[in-house]
Amino acid sequence: MTEDELLLREAEKIARAVGRMFPGLCEVVLHDLRDPAHAVRAIEGGLSGRAVGDPATELGLARIADPGFPDVLQNYPNRFPDGRPAKSTSIGIRNRDGEYVAALCLNLDVSLLGSAARALTRLARTDEPAPLAESLRARTGDELRALVEDYATERGHTPRSLPAAGKKALVRLLKERGFLELKNAVPVVTDLLGISRASVYNYLR
C-alpha cells in the first residue's frame, strides 16, 4: 500500500467517526485530491446530498492547483444546496513530499442552532424594570434588625430616638422590601422602635 493510500485510509476512519458523532448536524467529507473528477472518497452525514465518487469542490480544486494553499481553513461561512446556512472547516492532508493528497471537510448545519439561539434570546429578554429593586431570596429576622439599625445610624439616631416621621418612613420601607411579611415581624419592629402595634399599622395607611 502506498503512503498516499495509507493516509486516505486513516483519514477515512476519522471522517466516519466524527460524522457519526454528530448525526443530522454535521456532514464530514473526505476528498481524494488525486482524482478531482471523483474526489469524494467517503461521506458521513449526507447533508449536502453528495455521494461517494462526486467531484471535488472549488476549494478542493484550488488546493490541487496551489501547493501554498492554507493547510486549514477554519469556520468559514458556507451554504447547503437547499439554502441552509453552514459553518465549514477544511483540513488539507499532505504526504511526505508536501503534496496535497486529501482534504477532510466538516460542514455544520447552523440553521437549527440559529433558531435555537433566537428562541433563547427571546426567552431571556425582559421588559421595563420593576419600580423598585427586588431580591428573590427570603428575608430573615436578622436582616430586619440590621436594616432598622443601619437606617437609624445613617440619620444620627438610635432606632428608638428616630423622630416620628423617620419611624414612619422606616416602617414603610420595611413593608416595601417585604420584611413585614416575616413571622413576628411587627412585634420585632415595635420593640426596636419603641412604638405600639397600632402605630405600625397607622404608619402603613
Side-chain angles (χ1 to χ4, degrees):
M1 181 180 296
T2 66
E3 178 194 5
D4 291 357
E5 188 60 31
L6 179 61
L7 287 171
L8 281 155
R9 190 187 70 177
E10 295 303 302
E12 190 171 346
K13 295 178 186 178
I14 298 172
R16 298 287 185 202
V18 173
R20 290 173 184 176
M21 189 173 181
F22 304 101
L25 187 62
C26 185
E27 174 186 78
V28 185
V29 186
L30 177 63
H31 296 274
D32 182 348
L33 300 183
R34 302 170 305 172
D35 184 11
H38 308 91
V40 177
R41 165 80 172 244
I43 186 165
E44 193 70 37
L47 299 179
S48 65
R50 287 175 293 173
V52 172
D54 280 354
T57 62
E58 296 85 349
L59 196 150
L61 295 174
R63 265 209 174 92
I64 294 169
D66 180 11
F69 198 87
D71 285 349
V72 178
L73 292 179
Q74 187 85 51
N75 296 334
Y76 59 91
N78 213 335
R79 193 164 293 276
F80 291 111
D82 61 5
R84 283 173 297 162
K87 181 171 76 170
S88 297
T89 290
S90 177
I91 306 163
I93 299 172
R94 299 177 188 263
N95 59 20
R96 73 176 64 195
D97 296 324
E99 300 169 336
Y100 280 122
V101 295
L104 186 64
C105 301
L106 295 84
N107 302 307
L108 182 69
D109 182 354
V110 296
S111 61
L112 294 176
L113 299 178
S115 298
R118 287 189 292 273
L120 290 173
T121 298
R122 290 195 298 271
L123 186 63
R125 186 175 58 220
T126 57
D127 295 325
E128 293 299 318
L132 53 88
E134 179 184 30
S135 173
L136 299 180
R137 60 185 177 82
R139 301 289 191 263
T140 67
D142 288 341
E143 288 178 317
L144 185 156
R145 293 182 180 87
L147 177 56
V148 170
E149 295 285 352
D150 291 344
Y151 183 93
T153 300
E154 289 170 1
R155 289 156 180 78
H157 287 275
T158 65
R160 285 177 173 259
S161 71
L162 279 168
K167 292 179 179 180
K168 180 177 182 179
L170 175 55
V171 168
R172 290 185 171 182
L173 177 64
L174 293 172
K175 174 66 173 177
E176 289 175 0
R177 297 195 180 179
F179 284 101
L180 295 188
E181 306 303 322
L182 288 171
K183 184 178 181 181
N184 298 323
V186 173
V188 171
V189 171
T190 60
D191 182 62
L192 288 170
L193 298 182
I195 59 177
S196 67
R197 183 185 295 264
S199 294
V200 171
Y201 294 121
N202 285 334
Y203 290 160
L204 295 174
R205 289 176 181 170

